[in-house]
Amino acid sequence: MVSIAKVLLGIFGAAVVVVLIAVPTAIFLNEKNDEVSIRSFTLEDVFNSSLKPKSYNMRWISDHEYLHTSEGSVFLYDVATDKISDFLSKDRFIDKNAYDYQLSADRRYVAFMSNYSKLWRHSFTASYSLYDRESDTFITPSDIPDKVQYFAWAPEGNKLAFVWNNNVYIKTSPNSTSQQVTFNGEENKILNGIPDWVYEEEMFSSNQGLWWSPGGKNLAYAEFNDTGVHTIEYSWYGENQYPSTVSIPYPKPGTPNPTVKLFVVDTDNATKISEVVVPDSFGSVEHYLSTVTWVSDERLAVQWLKRVQNHLILQIYSFNGFTWNTYEHLEVASTGWIGRFSPSEPVFATDKNSYYLLMSDTQQYKHIHHVVGGKATAITSGEWEVIDILKVTTDSVYFSSNEEGGKPGGRNVYKRTQQETKCLTCNLRENCWYNSAYFSHNASYYRMSCSGPGTPFYSLMDNINNREQRVLEDNKEFVSMISGIQMPTMRQGTIKLGEYNLWYQMILPPGFDESKKYPLLIDVYAGPCSQKVNYVYRVNWSTYLASTEKIIVASFDGRGSGYQGDKLMYEIYKSLGTKEVEDQITAAREFIKMGFIDKDRVAIWGWSYGGYVTSMVLGSGSGVFKCGMAVAPVSKWRYYDSIYTERYMKLPSQNSEGYDNTTVTGRARNFHSVQYLLVHGTADDNVHFQQAAEISEALVEEQVDFEAMWYTDKDHGLAGAANQHVYTHMTHFLLRMNCGCLTLTLKDQLASRLTGTFPS
């Protein structure tokens, strides 16, 4: 592994500070005596899974034991004794054609998962086959129907719950009869135990809508009512003679939202159901159910959020045997929106008498607050942010933050006690600036994951003795495979924009020479609280563009980006499509001033919000960009979903001008001077094909010549064959259009690119 060089190159003008990061395993072209056959990283390499670094899978099942899947079988590792034993044979997976499993808390039963069928981003249906490890037999019949929408074992014992046909069912043991808890479930109308589309996508980021109490006594579940929600419809072409129509309740800004109720069922008496009622002050206004967290079998913490998402109530309820009554109450208000996206979930102390919550402090940075008796006190502080609370034990709070080195794109793991706060990962390994930890049940051990900027590395750490116990994955095989490939280097720095020093990164071609001129491609996302500039090691399309096509691929985190305080993040509150768009143009101009960018060969591309920003940039008439590609872009914020859009823009009735003045369609006439590729999937349930259709119509009305590519029956992610096709198509667009990013070559040069070799 080549060491990371951290070199201060100097200052370009007064505005730019630069740091050079040599991506590991880079081959430097000035090594004339190198006899290794060197090639570039090709477009075909982008889609070769063997040319990707490996990770290490594990599931902690105690404070010193974890499960690891290898070659189709599951093994039990006891890290205290260093013993490994068979746990689940691959034959059992083969028996049911299973792709995954879930283990009961008592370790006796396994639910093998098969017949996976994706629905939306997180939701799916699957079949669950119950297996008894003690008798080495499958339970037949399992009394669980096919196409289950959600499945969960209880945290203790072997009770289980599942959702089928939008209704909740429980089993007090794998061999017992299923008991139906809800009876009003109906597709696209009433959903019990699973979220509807907008809650899944924007609030929960999960397909989970039910929650077991710690001892398995009670089960909380949400009921989502979509009867008043307007629907989006699109064609599913399939293979039949006539297409079918997909209909999804999908609330857009200012339109009716789903209503939600929260219930608790006593799993020992499924007829005993009680409602957890929203606080009185929110009962008469539109609101969301944000998080559900059990404290004990009789105590439940729920976060309720107003529709405008700037006022939250965290209420702890206590059960008196009949009703759920208020036990503790915390209110949080914001001048922008609560949280980074949706509110963070509280993490309770081991004594259950207090909890820790990630929220903005008085200086408007996200920090950990200890909440006792409804009063929140910050226990971390500084002009940096806590990313997540990882684990709370009797004497310690473990968290991740970007404090180290003043680098917002870095991540490290910290341990806080009453005596001190100590960084566990800051000096563990060279070239590890983006770290995370996965702790065992009582944090005696953890998997340390170093994601970059060096080659990803995983190790098992003994937290008691503060030492590395074992290397789990060092990716030496990957390093060896790419040792003969010219890999890019990474440069990071800041651009001063007004009062802010804002970060950028550049992926530089091998043998980068500042005296030469290179084409530039801006890779943009730029959504609220986004962060493109970080220290994660990646091998992707940008690697190919830099290695083979000698393109500099750059990203810039402008105003509205995250993990640097609320002031920067709230710069685009109520004004999406303004400052974050301007800042991408400003960054491109600053890059050109550095002297090694060809100002006539500058392009931009992005996906989703990045596609929106790409389109807004190209429609700005700045004259900086010659071409761009927008994949699955938003065209108008009135067309996107309510929870996401209203979080940042409020309701249209409160911010009509903000909605109307930030449309791509309103800039259509400015596209005459740029070359534009518009890409969308026809079955995009998230950013609907309607958005691209609106852009297309506006461009046609203005007689703008542009290119478009649609993907039949593909959703927002353009998975499967479409994924390779879209990146190949964008590459060809840049080459074919000769728009200043890639240059057409002669046939022999093109052939050399396909093989990755360089003609002599």
Side-chain angles (χ1 to χ4, degrees):
M1 181 188 300
V2 178
S3 297
I4 300 295
K6 182 182 178 184
V7 183
L8 181 65
L9 296 182
I11 298 176
F12 291 87
V16 183
V17 177
V18 181
V19 176
L20 179 67
I21 303 166
V23 175
T25 71
I27 303 296
F28 297 99
L29 298 182
N30 59 1
E31 297 177 359
K32 296 181 179 179
N33 296 326
D34 187 0
E35 298 180 357
V36 176
S37 176
I38 301 173
R39 69 175 182 88
S40 66
F41 191 88
T42 69
L43 185 58
E44 291 177 346
D45 291 334
V46 175
F47 309 104
N48 182 354
S49 59
S50 66
L51 280 177
K52 299 286 190 297
K54 294 178 181 178
S55 59
Y56 184 85
N57 73 82
M58 66 187 308
R59 303 183 190 185
W60 288 109
I61 59 173
S62 75
D63 193 40
H64 60 93
E65 297 166 295
Y66 70 84
L67 299 177
H68 172 68
T69 302
S70 178
E71 297 182 351
S73 294
V74 179
F75 300 91
L76 174 64
Y77 287 69
D78 188 327
V79 298
T81 62
D82 278 334
K83 291 183 178 179
I84 305 172
S85 57
D86 294 336
F87 194 80
L88 289 174
S89 166
K90 67 179 179 180
D91 293 336
R92 300 291 79 79
F93 285 87
I94 294 171
D95 287 342
K96 297 297 180 179
N97 194 26
Y99 68 92
D100 204 353
Y101 71 97
Q102 292 188 37
L103 178 67
S104 64
D106 63 4
R107 307 189 191 182
R108 176 173 176 177
Y109 298 97
V110 177
F112 283 97
M113 305 168 66
S114 59
N115 300 321
Y116 172 91
S117 179
K118 182 180 184 293
L119 185 57
W120 313 131
R121 189 191 299 268
H122 306 283
S123 56
F124 62 93
T125 61
S127 299
Y128 294 81
S129 303
L130 301 183
Y131 168 72
D132 186 339
R133 292 183 61 243
E134 286 189 5
S135 63
D136 190 23
T137 59
F138 284 94
I139 298 173
T140 54
S142 67
D143 197 30
I144 300 177
D146 290 333
K147 296 185 178 180
V148 165
Q149 295 162 292
Y150 186 76
F151 179 99
W153 292 105
E156 288 188 6
N158 52 47
K159 290 181 179 179
L160 63 92
F162 63 89
V163 179
W164 179 66
N165 280 355
N166 303 296
N167 281 312
V168 175
Y169 295 77
I170 57 174
K171 287 167 69 73
T172 54
S173 72
N175 290 291
S176 67
T177 302
S178 295
Q179 300 176 64
Q180 187 169 350
V181 176
T182 66
F183 296 84
N184 60 343
E186 183 180 352
E187 184 179 6
N188 286 349
K189 298 293 184 183
I190 305 292
L191 298 86
N192 294 291
I194 54 170
D196 71 345
W197 188 95
V198 75
Y199 264 89
E200 173 186 331
E201 177 69 21
E202 307 294 4
M203 190 61 69
F204 293 170
S205 297
S206 165
N207 65 330
Q208 180 180 2
L210 57 79
W211 303 266
W212 280 102
S213 66
K217 167 66 173 174
N218 294 312
L219 180 75
Y221 64 91
E223 175 196 277
F224 298 91
N225 190 325
D226 279 4
T227 54
V229 179
H230 299 169
T231 60
I232 181 71
E233 294 184 342
Y234 55 84
S235 293
W236 180 267
Y237 296 97
E239 297 180 357
N240 295 327
Q241 187 174 18
Y242 291 91
S244 58
T245 299
V246 177
S247 180
I248 310 170
Y250 184 105
K252 298 188 178 186
T255 69
N257 260 340
T259 58
V260 61
K261 293 181 178 180
L262 183 64
F263 298 94
V264 174
V265 58
D266 181 340
T267 59
D268 294 324
N269 182 0
T271 63
K272 188 177 180 181
I273 300 174
S274 51
E275 183 176 358
V276 181
V277 181
V278 66
D280 291 340
S281 59
F282 276 20
S284 59
V285 298
E286 291 191 84
H287 58 268
Y288 297 111
L289 171 67
S290 181
T291 67
V292 177
T293 309
W294 282 99
V295 186
S296 66
D297 278 349
E298 290 78 34
R299 199 178 298 170
L300 181 66
V302 184
Q303 291 190 93
W304 306 93
L305 185 65
K306 279 188 177 179
R307 178 165 181 163
V308 290
Q309 299 179 63
N310 58 12
H311 186 188
L312 174 141
I313 293 177
L314 192 160
Q315 190 144 299
I316 301 178
Y317 299 83
S318 182
F319 191 57
N320 64 8
F322 301 96
T323 58
W324 294 90
N325 300 316
T326 302
Y327 175 83
E328 191 175 299
H329 179 96
L330 174 72
E331 292 200 35
V332 180
S334 172
T335 56
W337 61 89
I338 300 289
R340 294 191 174 103
F341 304 101
S342 55
S344 299
E345 188 170 356
V347 181
F348 279 82
T350 53
D351 63 7
K352 308 303 181 184
N353 291 323
S354 65
Y355 60 91
Y356 299 88
L357 189 65
L358 186 58
M359 54 189 283
S360 298
D361 66 3
T362 56
Q363 302 303 310
Q364 296 301 292
Y365 286 85
K366 297 288 188 288
H367 280 287
I368 301 174
H369 290 68
H370 188 202
V371 184
V372 182
K375 181 180 179 181
T377 303
I379 63 170
T380 61
S381 63
E383 293 184 356
W384 46 273
E385 293 207 338
V386 172
I387 310 302
D388 197 13
I389 302 171
L390 302 175
K391 176 73 74 172
V392 173
T393 63
T394 54
D395 60 357
S396 303
V397 176
Y398 297 89
F399 63 92
S400 63
S401 86
N402 59 5
E403 177 183 9
E404 177 70 12
K407 297 181 177 68
R411 299 289 186 272
N412 276 291
V413 179
Y414 294 79
K415 175 182 180 180
R416 184 189 185 278
T417 65
Q418 289 186 343
Q419 291 75 37
E420 63 174 351
T421 298
K422 176 183 178 182
C423 183
L424 298 181
T425 58
C426 291
N427 299 306
L428 272 181
R429 290 184 61 83
E430 187 180 6
N431 309 330
C432 284
W433 304 345
Y434 200 101
N435 301 300
S436 61
Y438 172 39
F439 288 95
S440 62
H441 287 191
N442 293 318
S444 295
Y445 302 89
Y446 63 93
R447 178 189 61 195
M448 194 281 287
S449 301
C450 164
S451 298
T455 309
F457 181 91
Y458 302 85
S459 61
L460 178 66
M461 302 298 298
D462 180 344
N463 194 29
I464 298 174
N465 299 301
N466 195 28
R467 66 181 181 88
E468 182 178 277
Q469 180 157 325
R470 186 171 74 251
V471 173
L472 300 174
E473 176 60 65
D474 56 16
N475 274 301
K476 287 184 178 179
E477 182 180 350
F478 168 75
V479 171
S480 176
M481 284 192 296
I482 64 170
S483 61
I485 299 177
Q486 299 174 32
M487 300 297 281
T489 55
M490 179 78 77
R491 171 180 290 187
Q492 291 196 351
T494 60
I495 296 174
K496 187 167 181 58
L497 200 159
E499 62 184 295
Y500 301 111
N501 290 309
L502 301 175
W503 285 81
Y504 72 85
Q505 69 183 25
M506 288 181 171
I507 301 173
L508 302 174
F512 171 71
D513 185 344
E514 289 195 31
S515 68
K516 296 181 180 179
K517 298 285 187 179
Y518 294 86
L520 171 69
L521 176 64
I522 301 290
D523 177 1
V524 64
Y525 187 76
C529 196
S530 61
Q531 186 176 63
K532 288 283 285 187
V533 181
N534 57 40
Y535 294 104
V536 175
Y537 181 93
R538 292 184 177 89
V539 178
N540 54 25
W541 189 50
S542 296
T543 311
Y544 151 70
L545 292 175
S547 176
T548 296
E549 305 299 347
K550 304 301 181 281
I551 297 170
I552 293 175
V553 182
S555 295
F556 178 69
D557 288 336
R559 288 172 290 181
S561 55
Y563 310 100
Q564 299 172 76
D566 291 349
K567 185 176 181 181
L568 177 66
M569 189 171 70
Y570 290 164
E571 284 280 357
I572 58 175
Y573 186 46
K574 298 185 287 186
S575 58
L576 299 184
T578 57
K579 295 175 183 177
E580 79 275 32
V581 173
E582 297 165 10
D583 290 354
Q584 297 301 316
I585 300 169
T586 299
R589 287 184 171 130
E590 291 297 323
F591 296 153
I592 292 170
K593 290 178 185 177
M594 293 178 181
F596 48 80
I597 300 297
D598 185 343
K599 66 179 179 61
D600 295 321
R601 296 189 291 166
V602 179
I604 185 169
W605 94 279
W607 198 308
S608 194
Y609 198 105
Y612 168 70
V613 173
T614 292
S615 303
M616 292 292 284
V617 164
L618 294 175
S620 68
S622 68
V624 174
F625 296 89
K626 299 302 183 292
C627 70
M629 302 89 73
V631 183
V634 169
S635 63
K636 298 177 180 178
W637 288 112
R638 291 182 188 269
Y639 290 174
Y640 197 52
D641 75 62
S642 59
I643 294 183
Y644 182 94
T645 309
E646 292 170 6
R647 178 186 300 145
Y648 311 117
M649 293 287 280
K650 305 189 80 171
L651 276 72
S653 60
Q654 300 170 313
N655 186 21
S656 180
E657 186 176 336
Y659 279 86
D660 294 340
N661 292 343
T662 54
T663 68
V664 175
T665 54
R667 298 187 171 194
R669 66 181 60 185
N670 293 332
F671 280 74
H672 283 288
S673 60
V674 296
Q675 290 151 349
Y676 181 57
L677 173 62
L678 176 63
V679 178
H680 220 109
T682 66
D684 192 333
D685 57 285
N686 187 350
V687 181
H688 305 138
F689 187 70
Q690 173 194 20
Q691 305 262 20
E694 285 282 319
I695 296 174
S696 175
E697 181 181 35
L699 295 175
V700 170
E701 287 295 319
E702 292 293 338
Q703 296 298 302
V704 174
D705 190 15
F706 68 101
E707 290 204 19
M709 172 61 70
W710 71 87
Y711 289 94
T712 305
D713 293 343
K714 290 299 182 181
D715 65 14
H716 197 59
L718 299 181
N723 188 259
Q724 181 169 348
H725 190 277
V726 70
Y727 284 106
T728 303
H729 186 71
M730 288 192 295
T731 303
H732 292 168
F733 170 79
L734 292 171
L735 287 165
R736 184 174 65 251
M737 296 300 291
N738 194 23
C739 68
C741 296
L742 301 178
T743 306
L744 280 174
T745 61
L746 298 175
K747 286 186 177 180
D748 59 335
Q749 292 173 316
L750 182 58
S752 71
R753 284 177 175 172
L754 293 175
T755 60
T757 58
F758 289 85
S760 58

